[in-house]
Amino acid sequence: MSGFLNAYLPHILTGISVGGQYALIAIGYTMVYGILRLINFAHGDVFMVAGLVMVYATASMPMYISIPLVIIATVLLGFVIERVAYKPLRSAPRMSVMISAIGVSYLLQNCALYFTGGLPQTYPVIPFISDSVTVFGQTTKMVTLITPVLTLLLVVILSLLIKYTKMGMAMRAVSKDFETSQLMGIKINSVISFTFIIGCFLAAVGSLLYFTNYQSVIPTSGAMPGLKAFVAAVFGGIGSIPGAVIGAFIIGICENLIKGAGWTTFSDAFTFVLLIVILLAKPTGIFGEKATDKV
Amino acid sequence: MTKIEQKKSKKGTWIALCCIAALYVLLFLIDNVFPSTSFIVMLTPVLKKGAIYSLLCVSMNLLNGFTGLFSLGQAGFMLIGAYTYAIFTIPVAEHMSVYQYFDGGAIQFSIPEAIGSILGPTGGAFFGSIIAIILAGCVAAVFAALIGIPVLRLKSDYLAIATLGFVEIIRAVFQWNSLGVITNGSNQLRKYTAFSDMKLTIGGATLKFGTIFPFLIVMLCIIVIVLLINSSYGRAFKAIRDDEVAAEAMGISLFKHKMLSFVISCFFAGVGGALLAMFQTTIKAQSFTSAMTYEILLMVVIGGIGSVSGSCIAAFLYIACSEWWLRFLDSGKFLGLSVPFFRDGFRKVVFSVVIMIIVLFFSRGIMGDRELSFSGIAGGVKKLSGRLKKKDIEEKEDTGNE
């Protein structure tokens, strides 16, 4: 047992950390899906843009300005994307909105490619969270420990927000029934914008933590974490925030254990195998509500 | 073809046929007669790639536009097609250098060489690659059938994400080292039969078919798809697209028809992948990302979801713009002036903005769900590549309308 732990502990630690980062992205997916029934394909790219903004911001500004700046810029980006690309299509078929999301993703990636010139951008070292620390005899970065704590803290705050504030109540109502909540006088556009703002805020925090573990940011580095976070959201039951968080942790840990076992080629594929299995066995996910089809 | 001609008004058919004939004569001239000026050098790859992408778009349209299955698995099936094609056409003598990390690989067989022993080397390359292309489509179709059994039970966005997942799984499997003796692991495959090998020796003269070849294959495939769409199966597909429940109530077997559409679409995606492999001359599993599927999807949207001719026009336009007409945006110079922000990648930014505008404000695309009608073309200016291409489709389209 101790042999197993010694061999796999670093992977489990990384897994928990990566899982927390996926969770922060997954919440953005699950909330948007809960309300708009839209897979926001651009969310992973928003996450990538947050990483790039950080790179450019720290080049000319001190850390205590750049971090808030990154968060504000990301939130603003999410807000603008929703207003420009999704709002005009509110009454269009779902497929059109999804195509629009794919278009936004394509646009963000191409813009990133243009601004970076295709070169990987070195991610800055953020003091404190990049420091080395020793846990159970394993040296790791501080971010590994901070991520799960911060993730859980943010999730608790978010849950309270959804449960006890007026906006949270509106969000729950909208996700239950889009049309009826409009009739009840809920300002649907502000609720949706608010959802995007929260999702992007969490994605920005996630990107700060995620990219600290990596050397650099490239235009496509948001695509894979984005997809995985979406799988996590589906796994936990789309629309459910605790489900997304648990799903993300499971995916993060499994993926890193697979890497640890020497199957790196399949660490990405595993996530999707899990997705297909869960879709076939229990399409509503672990915590998902059962949807009824009315003819 | 004779059936089509009987049904259609004679004049339209003749003009359409003449245009197709003119197109092929032109392509033949490009291949064999025209000197390779810079214009021709730019034009031929655009034509080839445009033709290949029209097939890919039409096959995706069959699934997304006509059957209403939002699948994002195109790149995975292209990958299967491309690999199948490449693996079976690498000359045996080259296996040692291609599979250098895997002791020459497991498959010591090459279709062009097997055919070549009967028909001579040029004939072998020509007909052997046709067989390999068909094989590529079949392998992709078999995979599609296997994947379709679980996946096609899912609906709309769940189907999209599951097929997207399959692309990643397929990509990982093809890069797996243990399969390296067949797929060459994460290394690229090369030295297989490409478009430049498409030659035939007739009566002592060697004729090149490098540009005509993709057009021939693509046209045949699109004819088959159009005939399918206009058959009773096609009507069943459209019924499923419009209302699944109603279609089921009318006695259409949902699973059977969805499966049929999925398998056929993937067959042609595999063929398209094989053609793309021929075009690129080297292939690598890493390059078949979901971004490739997105690109094809965007082309379908530009052309109009549910329009075969629209898909073809969009594919040629998209390829011509991105490979040729908008090149100046990357070069830093415009009309002799140097523009500082015209640097590498600006073309793609402009392109994606245009795509977003189309998606948001012209969501019906170029053609909507209509097909190109003859009167529409008669008035239009005839662009040699794109316009003539769609004419052969339009001509087939009309059979269904009568």
Side-chain angles (χ1 to χ4, degrees):
Chain A
M1 189 62 199
S2 69
F4 174 83
L5 262 188
N6 274 339
Y8 284 98
L9 187 66
H11 299 295
I12 293 174
L13 281 179
T14 324
I16 293 172
S17 159
V18 171
Q21 290 144 14
Y22 288 163
L24 292 175
I25 315 172
I27 293 170
Y29 274 108
T30 210
M31 284 173 61
V32 168
Y33 193 91
I35 287 179
L36 279 183
R37 297 278 175 269
L38 156 74
I39 302 176
N40 185 6
F41 279 101
H43 198 60
D45 300 288
V46 169
F47 169 79
M48 175 274 299
V49 170
L52 279 183
V53 171
M54 184 69 186
V55 171
Y56 287 115
T58 46
S60 54
M61 276 170 273
M63 202 58 75
Y64 57 87
I65 300 180
S66 5
I67 291 178
L69 189 76
V70 167
I71 291 173
I72 293 168
T74 315
V75 164
L76 210 64
L77 179 67
F79 177 77
V80 170
I81 287 175
E82 196 277 317
R83 278 293 146 104
V84 174
Y86 304 148
K87 195 174 164 228
L89 298 174
R90 202 123 305 156
S91 55
R94 266 163 77 187
M95 199 151 116
S96 317
V97 195
M98 199 136 81
I99 290 166
S100 177
I102 290 175
V104 173
S105 151
Y106 191 67
L107 175 67
L108 288 180
Q109 281 185 21
N110 284 335
C111 287
L113 194 69
Y114 173 66
F115 284 110
T116 61
L119 302 169
Q121 302 292 308
T122 316
Y123 203 72
V125 176
I126 305 171
F128 184 61
I129 69 166
S130 297
D131 295 347
S132 287
V133 67
T134 310
V135 194
F136 303 122
Q138 302 288 348
T139 311
T140 178
K141 278 184 179 175
M142 202 64 193
V143 66
T144 315
L145 301 180
I146 294 176
T147 307
V149 178
L150 190 61
T151 306
L152 292 180
L153 188 73
L154 286 172
V155 169
V156 169
I157 295 173
L158 182 62
S159 307
L160 293 176
L161 193 85
I162 287 177
K163 201 155 186 188
Y164 293 112
T165 62
K166 210 172 167 189
M167 186 51 103
M169 196 196 262
M171 284 162 83
R172 279 183 288 145
V174 173
S175 73
K176 205 84 180 168
D177 194 325
F178 200 87
E179 274 86 31
T180 316
S181 56
Q182 259 174 317
L183 296 176
M184 296 293 146
I186 291 172
K187 288 196 186 68
I188 204 110
N189 286 326
S190 59
V191 172
I192 292 170
S193 292
F194 191 69
T195 313
F196 272 84
I197 286 171
I198 293 179
C200 291
F201 168 77
L202 294 174
V205 176
S207 93
L208 290 176
L209 300 169
Y210 181 85
F211 286 115
T212 302
N213 277 332
Y214 290 83
Q215 295 291 314
S216 54
V217 189
I218 56 167
T220 49
S221 50
M224 202 31 93
L227 274 181
K228 281 182 186 162
F230 179 75
V231 174
V234 174
F235 185 76
I238 198 121
S240 147
I241 289 170
V245 174
I246 291 171
F249 275 113
I250 291 176
I251 284 178
I253 293 170
C254 290
E255 178 193 303
N256 277 284
L257 282 180
I258 289 172
K259 271 185 196 162
W263 293 74
T264 313
T265 330
F266 285 101
S267 67
D268 291 348
F270 162 78
T271 316
F272 297 102
V273 173
L274 189 73
L275 168 80
I276 287 156
V277 170
I278 196 84
L279 281 181
L280 296 175
K282 198 170 184 304
T284 48
I286 310 175
F287 293 99
E289 292 161 26
K290 191 149 175 56
T292 41
D293 258 350
K294 284 178 225 123
V295 177
Chain B
M1 291 298 270
T2 49
K3 239 176 157 182
I4 297 166
E5 281 159 24
Q6 285 164 2
K7 285 184 182 175
K8 242 195 85 62
S9 72
K10 281 240 167 79
K11 197 182 157 202
T13 315
W14 280 113
I15 294 176
L17 279 178
C18 288
C19 291
I20 299 169
L23 169 72
Y24 279 97
V25 168
L26 195 80
L27 290 173
F28 183 77
L29 291 177
I30 287 174
D31 272 344
N32 292 291
V33 180
F34 289 165
S36 47
T37 55
S38 63
F39 176 75
I40 297 286
V41 170
M42 286 307 280
L43 179 69
T44 43
V46 169
L47 286 178
K48 289 179 199 170
K49 210 174 170 188
I52 297 166
Y53 270 84
S54 352
L55 175 60
L56 293 169
C57 287
V58 172
S59 82
M60 192 175 211
N61 213 340
L62 172 66
L63 209 51
N64 290 10
F66 289 99
T67 323
L69 295 172
F70 196 58
S71 155
L72 294 176
Q74 201 81 348
F77 298 103
M78 285 161 66
L79 170 79
I80 294 173
Y83 262 69
T84 312
Y85 173 80
I87 288 166
F88 285 106
T89 56
I90 296 174
V92 176
E94 302 285 1
H95 272 230
M96 229 31 219
S97 71
V98 174
Y99 290 94
Q100 51 181 329
Y101 303 108
F102 298 97
D103 298 327
I107 297 173
Q108 297 295 342
F109 175 72
S110 157
I111 296 176
E113 286 184 355
I115 306 281
S117 60
I118 309 165
L119 295 173
T122 53
F126 192 88
F127 294 105
S129 58
I130 292 178
I131 293 173
I133 287 172
I134 295 170
L135 184 71
C138 293
V139 173
V142 169
F143 270 86
L146 292 176
I147 290 169
I149 294 169
V151 165
L152 287 178
R153 289 198 283 156
L154 304 168
K155 287 201 178 130
S156 63
D157 27 16
Y158 284 105
L159 176 69
I161 206 84
T163 43
L164 201 62
F166 262 114
V167 177
E168 295 302 325
I169 297 171
I170 289 171
R171 215 149 58 91
V173 169
F174 272 78
Q175 291 181 50
W176 188 20
N177 238 20
S178 305
L179 286 177
V181 285
I182 300 167
T183 62
N184 208 11
S186 50
N187 310 302
Q188 62 182 14
L189 289 173
R190 57 206 163 84
K191 296 194 175 162
Y192 50 81
T193 317
F195 283 144
S196 53
D197 301 320
M198 292 297 117
K199 293 169 195 155
L200 278 183
T201 311
I202 300 165
T206 306
L207 297 174
K208 289 182 228 154
F209 289 94
T211 318
I212 277 195
F213 187 78
F215 273 83
L216 277 174
I217 303 272
V218 167
M219 195 179 87
L220 269 176
C221 292
I222 293 179
I223 289 173
V224 172
I225 294 176
V226 169
L227 289 177
L228 177 80
I229 289 170
N230 292 331
S231 71
S232 62
Y233 286 109
R235 285 193 290 277
F237 293 164
K238 287 177 201 160
I240 292 173
R241 171 192 66 187
D242 293 337
D243 192 330
E244 265 189 26
V245 180
E248 201 172 18
M250 296 305 287
I252 295 171
S253 161
L254 283 189
F255 185 74
K256 190 183 126 197
H257 283 91
K258 280 182 179 178
M259 188 60 132
L260 191 71
S261 169
F262 191 61
V263 168
I264 291 173
S265 164
C266 293
F267 174 87
F268 290 113
V271 170
L275 290 173
L276 197 65
M278 293 178 87
F279 174 75
Q280 288 178 343
T281 68
T282 60
I283 48 164
K284 222 174 180 185
Q286 279 112 302
S287 58
F288 289 84
T289 53
S290 43
M292 205 173 217
T293 314
Y294 294 162
E295 210 170 54
I296 298 169
L297 177 69
L298 292 173
M299 283 184 214
V300 172
V301 173
I302 294 171
I305 294 176
S307 163
V308 173
S309 43
S311 290
C312 296
I313 304 167
F316 275 100
L317 271 181
Y318 189 103
I319 297 295
C321 287
S322 70
E323 308 272 310
W324 188 14
W325 295 337
L326 295 182
R327 279 264 166 200
F328 72 89
L329 291 174
D330 274 9
S331 65
K333 282 217 174 78
F334 182 58
L335 301 175
L337 300 166
S338 77
V339 188
F341 54 84
F342 279 15
R343 56 183 160 87
D344 269 354
F346 190 65
R347 171 178 54 125
K348 289 209 152 189
V349 175
V350 172
F351 218 66
S352 28
V353 170
V354 171
I355 288 172
M356 276 316 290
I357 290 171
I358 291 173
V359 169
L360 287 176
F361 303 110
F362 306 96
S363 59
R364 289 176 50 77
I366 300 174
M367 298 299 298
D369 51 6
R370 290 164 298 130
E371 296 294 347
L372 207 64
S373 68
F374 179 70
S375 55
I377 311 162
V381 187
K382 288 179 182 92
K383 265 185 208 147
L384 287 176
S385 55
R387 289 280 170 102
L388 291 178
K389 182 84 196 68
K390 70 214 172 189
K391 195 161 293 184
D392 67 60
I393 296 143
E394 157 263 338
E395 161 227 7
K396 280 158 257 142
E397 246 25 81
D398 285 33
T399 47
N401 302 338
E402 278 163 280

